[in-house]
Amino acid sequence: MQDFVTLLFLSSILESCTELLPRSHYGTFYDGDAYLVYSCSHPGQPAGPDVIRREIRENGNGEYAERHVHAWAGGAAGGAGGALTTLALRRASQLLAHVARPLVLHRETATRESARMLSYFRDGIRILRSGAMNGGPRLYRVRGHRPVVLQMEPVSWAQLASDGVFVLDTANLIVLWLGRAANLIEKTFGAKIAYRMARGPEKGMLVRRIAIAHDGYEQTLPPADRELLNTLLELRSRSMRPPSPVSDTPRPARLYKVTQPPRTSPIAMPSQKPAARLEEIKCAPLNREDLREDSVYIIDGGSRGVWAWVGSSAPVGEARGALAAARGLARAKRLTGPVATMVSGREPLEFAALFHMWSWADARRDIRVRAARSATTKLDAVSLASNAWLAAEAQVPDDGSGSLRMWRVRGEAEGGALQELERPQTAAFYDQDCYLALYTYHTPTGDQTILYYWMGGSSPNDLRNLGAKEAKDLCIKLGRLPIQAWVYQGKEPAHFLQIFKGRMITYIGSAIEYDPSGRRVVPPSRALIRVSGQYAREARGVEVGRGGLTRGACYVLREGARVWVWCAASATGDEREVAKNMAASDHTLVMQGKEKHDFWNALGDRRPLLVASPLKEVERPLPPRLFYISLGAAGQYSFEEIISFSQYELAPEMSAILDAHAAVFVWLGAHSGPRAKDDARAIAQCYLANDPAARDPETPILVISQGREPPNFTGFFPHWKTSMWKGHKSFNAIVSVLEGKAIVRGSNSALHNGNSENRFDQHEKYPLSVLRGPKEHMPQDVDPLTKELYLTHDDFVSTFTMAYNEFRSLPLWKQKELKKSVGLF
């Protein structure tokens, strides 16, 4: 078998046959037709027309082909739209029978395509109107990281939105219209698409001019271009839709079981099939054990789609109706995202990620994970820089031998601020405290710094907030060079544990209970510590309290000067070595069942807290996932998944989430804008809250900047190149090439470079008649004292006969008089 994507075409005439499209038509869809897309590849490997084909051998030892069929139907077929979708799914089922191999069947909706389908088309897809006239002007909207270019009809202001990028294609001129709240990455794609439209048959030759129109600044266009735009859109009747609210809301996934109700009629025709009934089982967190092989289940993943899972021994009738049941649930809940069905053992990553601790079966990844777990040597920064995949799987950029400075966050009662610790390598923490750890190590390209902010499990929220402010201030003081990491007790990443050489212990209480000065973290002399982990980068020690029973393979008992290491019968040799290393002093080794009286006497009334844990299976973590971040209104973010990603998917204009499951990375491009950089932690927290898998909100968060990526991040990207962006053209440079001149004009530079930093351009815009109207009819977000801020630039100039910056430079009394004279005060 070979990697490929095949595109099959279904005409909107329902009786017509299916035809295979030539590769030149890949990525172009007409909304009056239906299409089938078939792909085949190794799990986690890209599948697309540009991928080099190679043989896939299914040997039964974890090597298998991942096959997908996508049934896409346009939404402009009128009453025939539903029939067209049904026809596409029927032909997909025939293809399934022809392939005779397990595959995943997707029902795709126009403009709501799944991330997997978009991944096949690197340059995005185009959705065109089937009956559109070839002669007149055409309007297109550009959206998404893998851009979807959607043809809009009719050409009018009603189609435009302030958070969108649009391309108006006319006979002599291409107009690129940039919404005020549009994302910089979409603006960049829009500029590239406009260039392709204007380019002639000879590469580099522009046969049509390109004009750049900014939202609210249309009157600043050259007279000829303004006149042409006015004939098509009539600038006087300009009305703009505000940015659409982000639809993603925190909504946990729900699991339903498909049951076939008994026939109630004593006489039933063979063609009458009773409708499937869905029984809700539970909501997230979901586990693999919730799925039984003799049943069919529907998983409602919200914005991540609706999935039908068919067990290997499920009844034939229920298996055949799985997709119909999933579509019925999507209609009942008014979900417009993709719907898919699969059989047990062929689950794609997007489905597995809806479950907690899904054991990912991938022979290639298993080899990498085993190698990373067993790598106890060669973990220095130099070797890991050349073996970034090892650093990524082990989550350690170096061996932890760099320099360390630590501070304890002092509460308001102590006067606030930070208290630097005298001996940071003591590795003693307290669960009511918060700490900052600044770690510096040497790499082949220079020194790298990581600023860890650790929060104790019992630390109060006001102390956490104070520590977060101190961490931000320290990072700014250091020139924003450090990698920022927010770490929670019990969820520490491997590298944080590696820094303390496997001896990190968290005690109950606060450090000032043992040293009022706060300069030293002194461990208590009497403690029972539960130890977990098989290597130094997994080793955690936690003092056992009386709040509840917890199991452990090994324990360290400290009573004054004496120390015991107790090991359960199920403990492995590596776990015993970790516990002995954590004792860090002369100790007595005690095996379960061979305890002596002195041990029991020292344990005393804590004996019920000593509970052995059974042998744990080695985890097989899911592969990482990449998401493009779209910034909406303040505090609103949406996330678009990028399947089979590479470094090529990252652009300096964007910010992205790399979900490594045990930790979440926020990558900030060099031109991503100040808002993304300031809100990086909030973005990651929003991502975790919106994940339908009900993720742990205390998952570690690491923020990294373009050009300072550590190997435990770059190792997740195949063939990472540090020189990738050396020749990158900024948005300003691209636009300058399109127009043949620099476009930064006066005070509007913030708008033109894509980052709406200008105070005037950050406000929603309304017609002058609305702002002059009665107070009770005024939009809620309008400040009645500064109505002028809610005018577009063009309306402002026509009303005040000056630009906003000129108006702002006037004395306040003069501003007030002018506003009164035009009815805006």
Side-chain angles (χ1 to χ4, degrees):
M1 196 65 189
Q2 292 179 327
D3 284 345
F4 61 90
V5 166
T6 301
L7 196 64
L8 300 102
F9 166 77
L10 296 173
S11 171
S12 58
I13 303 175
L14 302 184
E15 294 78 17
S16 66
C17 299
T18 304
E19 62 174 299
L20 187 66
L21 289 178
R23 184 163 296 190
S24 59
H25 286 61
Y26 284 12
T28 301
F29 298 82
Y30 288 89
D31 63 357
D33 300 325
Y35 300 80
L36 296 181
V37 180
Y38 172 70
S39 74
C40 176
S41 66
H42 277 298
Q45 300 299 311
D50 302 324
V51 175
I52 299 175
R53 299 184 178 186
R54 58 186 181 277
E55 187 177 0
I56 298 178
R57 297 177 180 178
E58 302 191 26
N59 54 22
N61 296 323
E63 291 283 357
Y64 66 92
E66 189 175 57
R67 296 178 172 85
H68 296 263
V69 171
H70 304 260
W72 186 97
L84 193 60
T85 301
T86 303
L87 173 63
L89 291 173
R90 188 187 309 136
R91 294 290 171 85
S93 299
Q94 294 172 358
L95 179 61
L96 186 153
H98 176 74
V99 174
R101 299 285 182 86
L103 53 76
V104 182
L105 176 58
H106 304 259
R107 187 222 62 183
E108 302 284 355
T109 304
T111 72
R112 296 278 185 171
E113 292 81 8
S114 66
R116 182 168 292 275
M117 178 175 168
L118 293 177
S119 72
Y120 306 142
F121 309 99
R122 172 156 292 189
D123 294 327
I125 65 173
R126 297 166 297 282
I127 303 176
L128 308 180
R129 295 287 188 181
S130 297
M133 296 177 59
N134 293 327
R138 293 177 293 274
L139 180 66
Y140 304 91
R141 177 165 186 172
V142 181
R143 64 169 58 166
H145 179 269
R146 285 274 171 85
V148 176
V149 181
L150 176 65
Q151 186 174 354
M152 316 287 290
E153 281 191 343
V155 178
S156 69
W157 284 113
Q159 304 289 0
L160 275 65
S162 58
D163 61 343
V165 173
F166 298 83
V167 179
L168 180 59
D169 183 3
T170 69
N172 300 315
L173 181 69
I174 302 291
V175 179
L176 175 62
W177 190 90
L178 304 174
R180 181 181 61 261
N183 283 306
L184 187 55
I185 191 71
E186 291 182 350
K187 291 181 179 182
T188 302
F189 278 124
K192 293 179 179 178
I193 290 168
Y195 175 77
R196 292 174 194 164
M197 290 182 177
R199 192 174 59 190
E202 296 185 20
K203 189 174 182 180
M205 288 285 294
L206 293 182
V207 298
R208 286 184 290 175
R209 290 189 305 105
I210 298 175
I212 313 295
H214 293 271
D215 182 5
Y217 291 77
E218 290 85 1
Q219 296 287 355
T220 63
L221 288 170
D225 297 345
R226 184 174 67 245
E227 185 62 30
L228 174 61
L229 188 62
N230 187 48
T231 59
L232 296 174
L233 292 176
E234 193 177 354
L235 297 180
R236 286 186 177 182
S237 62
R238 183 188 192 280
S239 62
M240 188 54 48
R241 288 188 290 117
S244 54
V246 176
S247 58
D248 288 349
T249 56
R251 188 164 168 265
R254 294 186 177 273
L255 177 66
Y256 299 85
K257 183 178 180 181
V258 177
T259 60
Q260 202 72 31
R263 296 181 184 273
T264 56
S265 174
I267 300 177
M269 297 298 292
S271 60
Q272 292 178 345
K273 296 181 180 179
R277 183 171 58 192
L278 299 183
E279 175 189 354
E280 185 170 348
I281 303 298
K282 63 182 296 191
C283 66
L286 307 179
N287 300 289
R288 175 63 177 86
E289 294 74 22
D290 297 327
L291 305 178
R292 295 174 49 184
E293 295 292 341
D294 60 351
S295 301
V296 175
Y297 297 89
I298 309 297
I299 294 88
D300 172 16
S303 60
R304 305 278 173 89
V306 177
W307 303 82
W309 183 89
V310 180
S312 57
S313 57
V316 176
E318 293 181 5
R320 289 178 178 173
L323 182 60
R327 293 180 65 194
L329 180 64
R331 284 194 297 267
K333 294 200 170 187
R334 297 181 180 180
L335 300 174
T336 57
V339 177
T341 181
M342 78 215 75
V343 296
S344 174
R346 289 297 186 267
E347 299 89 354
L349 176 59
E350 310 95 276
F351 175 83
L354 294 173
F355 290 76
H356 180 66
M357 302 298 290
W358 184 285
S359 185
W360 185 252
D362 181 354
R364 296 185 178 192
R365 180 165 172 81
D366 282 350
I367 294 173
R368 290 166 59 105
V369 171
R370 284 197 300 269
R373 282 185 59 83
S374 61
T376 56
T377 59
K378 296 184 179 180
L379 290 179
D380 59 280
V382 175
S383 61
L384 288 174
S386 58
N387 295 280
W389 67 268
L390 180 61
E393 296 297 351
Q395 275 303 289
V396 285
D398 83 321
D399 60 357
S401 60
S403 62
L404 177 67
R405 294 179 65 188
M406 283 189 65
W407 297 264
R408 188 179 67 85
V409 181
R410 300 194 300 181
E412 294 292 347
E414 301 178 66
L418 301 176
Q419 175 67 64
E420 187 165 3
L421 304 182
E422 292 180 352
R423 297 173 56 196
Q425 287 80 10
T426 304
F429 292 75
Y430 283 85
D431 67 354
Q432 293 180 10
D433 292 338
C434 296
Y435 299 87
L436 287 177
L438 186 64
Y439 178 78
T440 304
Y441 65 100
H442 186 70
T443 71
T445 57
D447 287 346
Q448 178 70 282
T449 306
I450 307 175
L451 179 60
Y452 286 104
Y453 174 41
W454 185 92
M455 288 163 277
S458 300
S459 58
N461 285 333
D462 57 348
L463 184 65
R464 292 188 178 191
N465 295 336
L466 180 60
K469 178 182 179 301
E470 294 291 347
K472 182 177 181 180
D473 291 345
L474 181 58
C475 185
I476 294 174
K477 184 179 179 181
L478 296 171
R480 295 185 182 268
L481 293 178
I483 296 169
Q484 300 175 70
W486 286 267
V487 177
Y488 301 87
Q489 178 184 336
K491 317 292 191 323
E492 297 88 358
H495 183 246
F496 186 81
L497 300 174
Q498 181 76 32
I499 292 173
F500 298 103
K501 309 298 186 292
R503 294 178 178 177
M504 177 186 171
I505 302 176
T506 304
Y507 297 99
I508 298 172
S510 175
I512 58 174
E513 298 173 9
Y514 301 92
D515 179 24
S517 71
R519 295 188 182 91
R520 297 181 302 137
V521 180
V522 180
S525 59
R526 185 175 186 267
L528 176 64
I529 302 160
R530 184 182 71 253
V531 182
S532 61
Q534 301 193 50
Y535 303 100
R537 61 182 179 275
E538 300 174 355
R540 291 184 182 90
V542 181
E543 184 179 1
V544 180
R546 301 183 185 276
L549 295 179
T550 54
R551 297 175 177 269
C554 298
Y555 289 81
V556 172
L557 175 63
R558 183 179 296 119
E559 188 71 20
R562 297 199 63 185
V563 179
W564 291 265
V565 174
W566 181 90
C567 300
S570 60
T572 64
D574 290 331
E575 288 175 323
R576 291 195 293 269
E577 291 302 316
V578 164
K580 290 191 289 184
N581 177 62
M582 191 166 292
S585 60
D586 293 336
H587 59 268
T588 303
L589 182 64
V590 179
M591 300 301 297
Q592 184 180 8
K594 297 182 179 181
E595 301 87 350
K596 295 182 180 180
H597 289 292
D598 61 340
F599 174 78
W600 292 125
N601 290 337
L603 192 60
D605 60 352
R606 293 172 293 180
R607 184 167 180 172
L609 304 178
L610 194 71
V611 182
S613 65
L615 187 64
K616 294 182 180 179
E617 293 185 7
V618 176
E619 296 178 3
R620 302 168 72 188
L622 292 175
R625 305 166 73 198
L626 186 69
F627 292 83
Y628 159 61
I629 302 169
S630 179
L631 304 181
Q636 291 188 335
Y637 317 97
S638 59
F639 307 93
E640 174 189 341
E641 184 169 10
I642 304 170
I643 302 291
S644 302
F645 60 85
S646 65
Q647 188 186 1
Y648 177 83
E649 313 297 343
L650 301 178
E653 294 84 6
M654 67 179 280
S655 49
I657 290 277
L658 179 70
D659 186 356
H661 305 286
V664 170
F665 293 87
V666 181
W667 182 85
L668 301 173
H671 307 307
S672 57
R675 182 183 164 195
K677 296 174 182 177
D678 291 339
D679 297 350
R681 184 190 179 194
I683 290 172
Q685 290 174 326
C686 179
Y687 167 78
L688 292 170
N690 281 274
D691 193 328
R695 297 286 292 281
D696 185 349
E698 294 190 346
T699 301
I701 297 170
L702 292 89
V703 178
I704 57 180
S705 302
Q706 176 188 331
R708 296 189 63 83
E709 298 88 352
N712 56 321
F713 173 85
T714 62
F716 288 126
F717 295 80
H719 315 299
W720 182 274
K721 296 180 181 179
T722 56
S723 59
M724 171 71 77
W725 299 293
K726 281 188 176 179
H728 179 79
K729 289 185 177 179
S730 67
F731 175 69
N732 270 352
I734 294 174
V735 170
S736 297
V737 171
L738 296 183
E739 288 194 322
K741 59 183 179 181
I743 66 160
V744 178
R745 304 185 188 99
S747 62
N748 199 28
S749 60
L751 176 70
H752 288 219
N753 67 24
N755 301 325
S756 299
E757 300 169 355
N758 192 310
R759 178 170 176 250
F760 179 77
D761 293 310
Q762 288 179 342
H763 293 77
E764 193 55 66
K765 305 302 180 182
Y766 297 98
L768 183 61
S769 58
V770 172
L771 298 174
R772 283 174 171 169
K775 183 178 180 181
E776 57 271 17
H777 295 162
M778 199 71 61
Q780 293 183 354
D781 59 336
V782 172
D783 184 349
L785 298 179
T786 56
K787 292 181 181 179
E788 70 279 4
L789 291 173
Y790 302 88
L791 290 170
T792 65
H793 166 79
D794 294 344
D795 286 345
F796 191 98
V797 171
S798 63
T799 303
F800 291 95
T801 65
M802 67 180 72
Y804 172 73
N805 269 17
E806 185 180 350
F807 171 85
R808 190 181 179 187
S809 64
L810 297 174
L812 291 178
W813 67 268
K814 183 66 173 177
Q815 295 181 24
K816 189 179 297 184
E817 291 296 326
L818 284 174
K819 289 194 289 184
K820 286 181 179 179
S821 66
V822 298
L824 290 177
F825 188 80

